[in-house]
Amino acid sequence: MQMLYNSDSFSVVLFAVTGVPWTTARAPLGAGVHEQTAPLSHGGYEIVDKFARKEIFLQGAMAQSFKEGVEALIETQPSEEEMDDYIERFASLMQQPLILH
């Protein structure tokens, strides 16, 4: 588990299975790592909307799509607002209420 992104609005955490060669995934969002890596076959991303208090866990093809979109955005050196705007696209999919324990 690794925190990749944290703003006032959203947080993104990577859950990667040990042994899966994911160098880029283990780098924080915006770190500029450009090494070619295998697609995420195990694990995924947890995205938390702090204001709506909801979350979603992306895995498989959806996680791969999220990763590719973030990588493309990183190449433009986005602001925090632009990064939040991208992540907000997934907010409509969030159904799981955030429960603190």
Side-chain angles (χ1 to χ4, degrees):
M1 177 172 76
Q2 181 179 4
M3 175 76 70
L4 299 178
Y5 181 74
N6 192 25
S7 70
D8 291 339
S9 303
F10 296 99
S11 66
V12 178
V13 176
L14 169 68
F15 290 88
V17 175
T18 305
V20 176
W22 246 54
T23 305
T24 303
R26 293 188 181 119
L29 297 181
V33 178
H34 298 290
E35 182 177 323
Q36 185 70 12
T37 57
L40 184 63
S41 59
H42 295 79
Y45 297 97
E46 178 185 50
I47 303 173
V48 174
D49 182 334
K50 295 177 182 179
F51 292 119
R53 295 181 155 209
K54 291 189 177 184
E55 65 179 334
I56 187 170
F57 185 78
L58 303 176
Q59 59 187 12
M62 183 71 83
Q64 185 65 28
S65 174
F66 176 78
K67 176 185 176 284
E68 290 169 358
V70 167
E71 288 175 344
L73 187 60
I74 288 170
E75 290 180 11
T76 67
Q77 298 180 350
S79 66
E80 183 175 310
E81 183 177 307
E82 291 170 319
M83 201 65 153
D84 281 355
D85 287 346
Y86 176 75
I87 295 170
E88 190 173 18
R89 295 178 187 178
F90 295 86
S92 65
L93 302 173
M94 295 181 188
Q95 300 297 317
Q96 183 67 30
L98 184 61
I99 300 172
L100 302 176
H101 47 92

